[in-house]
Amino acid sequence: MADQKEQRVCVKFCFLLGKTAAETVGMLRQAFNDDALGKSQVYEWFSRFKSGNMSTEDMPRPGRPSTGRNDENIAKIKRAIDEDRRKTIDQLSEETNISWSTVQRILTEGLHMRRVSAKFVPRLLGDDQRENRVNVCRDLKSEVQNDPEFLKRIVTGDESWCYGYDPESKQSSSQWKTPTSPRPKKARQVRSNVKTMLICFFDVNGIVHKEFVPPGQTVNQHFYLDVLRRLRESVRRKRSEMWRNGKWLLHHDNAPAHTALTVRQFLTSNNMVIVPHPLYSPDLAPSDFFFVSTDEEKSERKAIP
């Protein structure tokens, strides 16, 4: 693209030769094609030359030149952002005494940043919790490598709500249609108000023990103790070999009823070995894949006192 300053000199040259503005526009278009100055620009420069101002430089703009985007201010904004990335442009402008527009340009053009919403995750684990999760995963991996039968010896269980009916999902209600056929319709449905809680324990061979919680009964430590007693009896009857060698392992999550002192004392007194489960780790719980089917059930199950 041709330099506009060079074209201004050409306009001045034509003006001094006595050419008209219209003639100058035609000559510029012939010389510079699509990059030529526009008609209004040429006439503006002719007016300026006629007034006696023969300079081809831009006229100084009112106000002081912008000096906000310098290395010092960029570094100042970066330090403020590193301290707290939730600060708004208003807060940064007030804190650093830099204009709002300058802060905005420093963030977007100088630091190449953009403001985004936080990603939703179920839990934010602390450093100790993350480290414990890694250690537990390493231990489980080591056990599987040392003992190929390790996973077959685990009996895992959890609680989940069972509803009178489940609304038809969007995927299950979808159907093929031609461009001319009408779009299928279905009435809005809500989840059933009729529900009961199911407690189920299973291993690689299938269900070991299951039972429904009586209406109005809370799954607390005392009720869970009775469930464990019935589970032991089911293991004795349905998994007699594991019962005889005493090598079966119990896995459940960290619900309050599962980790109560009386429950832990019962497990210890009956030599029931627990497979460790890190806090807030549904991806390490088989029940969350094979037993609990929806996110709503997970959230309600976690709310059990």
Side-chain angles (χ1 to χ4, degrees):
M1 181 177 180
D3 188 352
Q4 290 193 3
K5 189 173 181 180
E6 294 179 357
Q7 295 190 54
R8 296 173 191 174
V9 174
C10 295
V11 173
K12 181 179 179 180
F13 178 75
C14 293
F15 174 80
L16 295 176
L17 289 178
K19 302 291 185 182
T20 65
E23 292 174 330
T24 303
V25 171
M27 296 171 66
L28 289 176
R29 288 178 179 174
Q30 184 178 358
F32 298 105
N33 299 318
D34 294 336
D35 295 332
L37 291 176
K39 180 178 178 181
S40 59
Q41 293 174 296
V42 174
Y43 274 77
E44 181 182 345
W45 283 104
F46 259 73
S47 298
R48 184 181 300 183
F49 297 147
K50 289 178 181 179
S51 66
N53 184 358
M54 304 303 292
S55 173
T56 58
E57 300 292 337
D58 287 321
M59 295 290 290
R61 296 182 179 181
R64 63 181 179 85
S66 175
T67 58
R69 285 187 57 190
N70 52 49
D71 293 340
E72 180 182 355
N73 286 343
I74 292 177
K76 189 184 297 184
I77 294 297
K78 188 177 186 307
R79 286 195 300 269
I81 282 293
D82 289 341
E83 292 174 0
D84 183 4
R85 291 182 177 266
R86 294 190 177 188
K87 290 179 180 177
T88 64
I89 295 180
D90 291 331
Q91 292 172 329
L92 292 170
S93 177
E94 181 178 355
E95 178 182 333
T96 60
N97 197 27
I98 301 174
S99 68
W100 192 97
S101 59
T102 301
V103 173
Q104 193 270 342
R105 288 197 300 271
I106 289 176
L107 289 172
T108 58
E109 300 174 12
L111 299 177
H112 304 289
M113 303 180 75
R114 62 189 182 96
R115 193 171 182 90
V116 296
S117 300
K119 180 181 179 181
F120 176 79
V121 293
R123 295 284 178 177
L124 292 176
L125 301 181
D127 293 338
D128 294 340
Q129 293 173 327
R130 288 196 294 268
E131 183 178 358
N132 177 60
R133 176 172 177 153
V134 171
N135 293 334
V136 169
C137 290
R138 286 174 176 169
D139 292 341
L140 293 176
K141 181 179 179 181
S142 176
E143 286 291 339
V144 172
Q145 292 174 340
N146 297 331
D147 181 9
E149 301 294 316
F150 174 73
L151 294 179
K152 297 181 179 180
R153 297 191 288 115
I154 296 178
V155 175
T156 183
D158 209 343
E159 301 90 12
S160 179
W161 288 109
C162 293
Y163 294 85
Y165 64 85
D166 289 318
E168 188 179 37
S169 67
K170 184 176 181 180
Q171 179 64 30
S172 61
S173 64
S174 63
Q175 56 183 275
W176 295 102
K177 64 178 289 293
T178 64
T180 58
S181 61
R183 183 175 179 177
K185 299 179 181 179
K186 71 173 184 178
R188 183 180 297 275
Q189 293 180 323
V190 296
R191 187 181 291 276
S192 170
N193 290 326
V194 178
K195 63 180 181 179
T196 184
M197 182 168 288
L198 172 66
I199 301 179
C200 183
F201 293 87
F202 60 93
D203 63 1
V204 294
N205 296 313
I207 295 178
V208 178
H209 175 75
K210 65 179 185 298
E211 61 180 87
F212 289 99
V213 179
Q217 173 65 53
T218 302
V219 182
N220 52 33
Q221 56 180 310
H222 305 293
F223 180 80
Y224 194 64
L225 278 175
D226 294 334
V227 172
L228 291 178
R229 294 187 181 97
R230 291 188 286 269
L231 169 64
R232 285 173 52 83
E233 179 62 22
S234 296
V235 173
R236 186 186 67 81
R237 291 186 293 104
K238 298 180 180 180
R239 303 291 187 268
S240 56
E241 183 177 351
M242 287 200 310
W243 177 263
R244 285 195 300 270
N245 59 38
K247 292 184 178 182
W248 68 284
L249 309 171
L250 176 64
H251 173 267
H252 54 200
D253 61 18
N254 298 291
H258 302 172
T259 58
L261 177 60
T262 55
V263 173
R264 287 187 280 117
Q265 290 175 339
F266 174 83
L267 297 174
T268 302
S269 62
N270 288 278
N271 298 320
M272 296 175 64
V273 180
I274 298 296
V275 177
H277 182 79
L279 289 173
Y280 309 120
S281 301
D283 53 336
L284 296 179
S287 297
D288 287 325
F289 292 96
F290 303 103
F291 181 48
V292 179
S293 58
T294 65
D295 293 336
E296 290 82 3
E297 288 173 342
K298 290 182 183 179
S299 61
E300 291 190 28
R301 178 177 53 80
K302 294 301 181 183
I304 299 173

